[in-house]
Amino acid sequence: MAEKDTTEKVLLSIDEVFADVINVFAFHGDQVISPTDLRNDVVMTTYDHADQLRSRECDVSKFWVKGGVRILLSGIANHSAADGDMPLRVIGNDSASYRGQLADSSKESARYPVMTVVLYFGEQEWDKPKNLLGCFDNWNKIPDAMKPLIQDYRIHVFDIPRMNPEDVELFRSDFRVVADYFVQKHRNHRYQPRRGKMKYVKQVCDLLAAATGDRHFVDKYNIIAQAKEGGPDDMCEIVEQFIEEGKSIGRAEGKAEGRA
C-alpha cells in the first residue's frame, strides 16, 4: 500500500503537472497558475495542540506564491474507489492547515486559504457523499430548528473517466495521457494511444498502474527501458509491447497445439 501511495503521487508532484491540473479544473485551461509560482508543502504538516501532535495529510500539496506572498495552499487527493468519509478527511486536512497557521505566530499577517480537490479514477460513478452533512446517518434525527446552525462542508470531486473528451484536450502536460486513458476505457472499453513525445512516461505508467491495479504498464516500461536508452517516448511504445507480447504468447500456444 505504501508503494502504491508513493507512485500515485510522483506525477502530480511535478510542478508542471500540478499547475496543469489546477488550471484545467479551476480555470478551464487558462494558464493562471505558472509552475514557477509553486512551492512544495511538506506532505505531512504537524502542529502541537494540547500536548498532542496533530497532522494534516494530503497526496500532494503546494503553495501558490506571487510576489513572495502565499496566495493559496492547494492539495490534490487521488482515489480509485468512492470514499464515504471523504468529506471528513478533507475537512480534517484543511482544518489542520488552518490550525497550523494559528500556531505559527510568524505568519499572523499572511493568512492564506486552503483548497483541496479530489481526482477520482473509479470505474463506477462516485456514489458517496460530497458534503459533510451527508456523512451522518442520524441527520434525520436532528431537530429541523437546529439544522441551520450546523455548518456544512463540500468537497470537489473531479471524475476523470467521465470527463468530456473535449475537456481532456485542455490539459497541456502528460496528465492529458492519464485522463485520455481513463476516458477511452470508460467510453470504448479499449485504449488507443496517440503519438506524441512525452516527458514523464515512467511517472504516467506508475500512476496508471497504481490507479488501475494493473502492473503491466510498469512491467512493459521496464522491458523497453532495458532495451532502449532513455526508455519509451510515448504510450504507443508501451501498447506495442503489449501487442508484441500477445503475438509471442500466441505463437507459443500455436506450437504447443501443433505438437499435441
Side-chain angles (χ1 to χ4, degrees):
M1 181 62 72
E3 181 183 357
K4 175 181 182 293
D5 291 342
T6 301
T7 55
E8 271 188 318
K9 298 172 186 177
V10 175
L11 180 67
L12 288 165
S13 68
I14 300 169
D15 289 343
E16 172 190 342
V17 178
F18 188 97
D20 187 35
V21 170
I22 299 300
N23 282 331
V24 168
F25 290 123
F27 306 110
H28 199 63
D30 292 342
Q31 301 301 289
V32 176
I33 298 179
S34 169
T36 58
D37 292 336
L38 294 175
R39 303 291 183 272
N40 287 331
D41 178 32
V42 179
V43 173
M44 179 178 289
T45 301
T46 60
Y47 63 89
D48 291 312
H49 178 63
D51 297 326
Q52 291 184 343
L53 193 65
R54 307 292 178 87
S55 65
R56 180 185 61 79
E57 299 180 51
C58 193
D59 286 340
V60 184
S61 56
K62 292 178 181 288
F63 289 104
W64 180 23
V65 180
K66 295 287 286 186
V69 177
R70 289 178 174 178
I71 305 298
L72 176 78
L73 175 63
S74 179
I76 297 177
N78 300 315
H79 275 263
S80 300
D83 185 352
D85 290 331
M86 201 64 209
L88 295 170
R89 300 185 195 283
V90 171
I91 193 174
N93 289 339
D94 293 355
S95 64
S97 178
Y98 289 126
R99 185 64 184 84
Q101 293 183 52
L102 287 175
D104 190 345
S105 59
S106 65
K107 299 175 183 176
E108 193 170 50
S109 61
R111 305 292 188 220
Y112 50 84
V114 180
M115 177 188 76
T116 300
V117 299
V118 179
L119 303 185
Y120 175 58
F121 301 100
E123 293 183 6
Q124 306 299 323
E125 275 193 82
W126 183 281
D127 58 355
K128 301 297 183 181
K130 293 183 180 180
N131 67 308
L132 180 63
L133 299 184
C135 296
F136 306 133
D137 296 333
N138 65 343
W139 180 246
N140 60 346
K141 297 180 180 179
I142 303 296
D144 290 340
M146 188 180 290
K147 289 180 179 179
L149 303 178
I150 302 175
Q151 294 287 354
D152 202 356
Y153 200 85
R154 298 189 177 278
I155 63 173
H156 306 286
V157 178
F158 295 102
D159 193 331
I160 305 301
R162 279 152 285 275
M163 287 183 66
N164 292 324
E166 296 79 12
D167 291 335
V168 172
E169 299 305 315
L170 297 174
F171 292 109
R172 301 190 181 189
S173 70
D174 283 355
F175 192 82
R176 177 192 289 177
V177 178
V178 175
D180 184 46
Y181 171 83
F182 282 99
V183 169
Q184 284 197 46
K185 290 288 285 185
H186 173 69
R187 287 173 169 257
N188 308 321
H189 305 291
R190 61 188 299 271
Y191 174 56
Q192 179 63 49
R194 292 180 287 182
R195 288 289 181 189
K197 188 175 178 62
M198 296 166 57
K199 294 176 66 174
Y200 307 109
V201 181
K202 183 182 186 304
Q203 291 83 349
V204 166
C205 288
D206 283 340
L207 194 153
L208 289 175
T212 63
D214 186 349
R215 277 197 53 84
H216 282 91
F217 296 99
V218 175
D219 294 339
K220 300 302 175 286
Y221 174 89
N222 291 335
I223 291 172
I224 298 171
Q226 290 174 2
K228 174 185 175 183
E229 184 177 356
D233 294 322
D234 58 20
M235 290 303 292
C236 288
E237 291 189 60
I238 303 293
V239 172
E240 286 167 0
Q241 183 64 37
F242 274 97
I243 295 173
E244 182 59 33
E245 183 184 74
K247 289 179 179 178
S248 298
I249 293 173
R251 286 195 294 267
E253 289 176 346
K255 291 178 180 178
E257 290 177 1
R259 286 195 299 269

